[in-house]
Amino acid sequence: MATATAATTPASASSDGGRNSKLETVLKIGTLVDMDWKMGVGIVSSSCQRLDEPFVKLVLKVQDSSQVVSAHSFELSLDEFKSFAESFRNIARAI
């Protein structure tokens, strides 16, 4: 499991009008609890010119601070997926 949060600089509540706590809430990503992927080749699409290109469908399950797990799915071209995977490898090396 990986937890990602964005760091914010503390500020006094009187000077920022509560914006700092709102910023921390908005920037908190949560905990990655599961990731599933499938590879496919498109057959029909209204947005692609060439349908014989492979794609990867990712489903990320993220748990928020309230312990609620939500699924986020998206599709990437093979080149986009390779870049995404490299980013995860870089994160793993940094941890």
Side-chain angles (χ1 to χ4, degrees):
M1 287 187 247
T3 300
T5 56
T8 59
T9 305
S12 69
S14 60
S15 68
D16 73 357
R19 286 179 291 173
N20 192 46
S21 63
K22 290 178 186 176
L23 182 62
E24 288 175 351
T25 301
V26 169
L27 293 178
K28 182 159 175 68
I29 296 170
T31 303
L32 178 64
V33 294
D34 192 23
M35 182 170 79
D36 191 23
W37 63 274
K38 296 178 184 176
M39 188 168 186
V41 177
I43 298 173
V44 177
S45 174
S46 62
S47 62
C48 295
Q49 294 177 351
R50 293 188 56 199
L51 295 176
D52 58 348
E53 296 288 326
F55 67 90
V56 177
K57 180 177 182 176
L58 289 170
V59 179
L60 304 177
K61 293 184 181 175
V62 179
Q63 184 177 41
D64 66 16
S65 59
S66 303
Q67 308 303 312
V68 175
V69 177
S70 56
H72 305 275
S73 64
F74 51 98
E75 293 180 3
L76 302 172
S77 70
L78 198 51
D79 288 337
E80 291 171 328
F81 177 72
K82 287 177 183 178
S83 176
F84 180 79
E86 181 63 27
S87 296
F88 263 78
R89 283 190 285 276
N90 291 338
I91 290 169
R93 281 192 288 268
I95 294 177

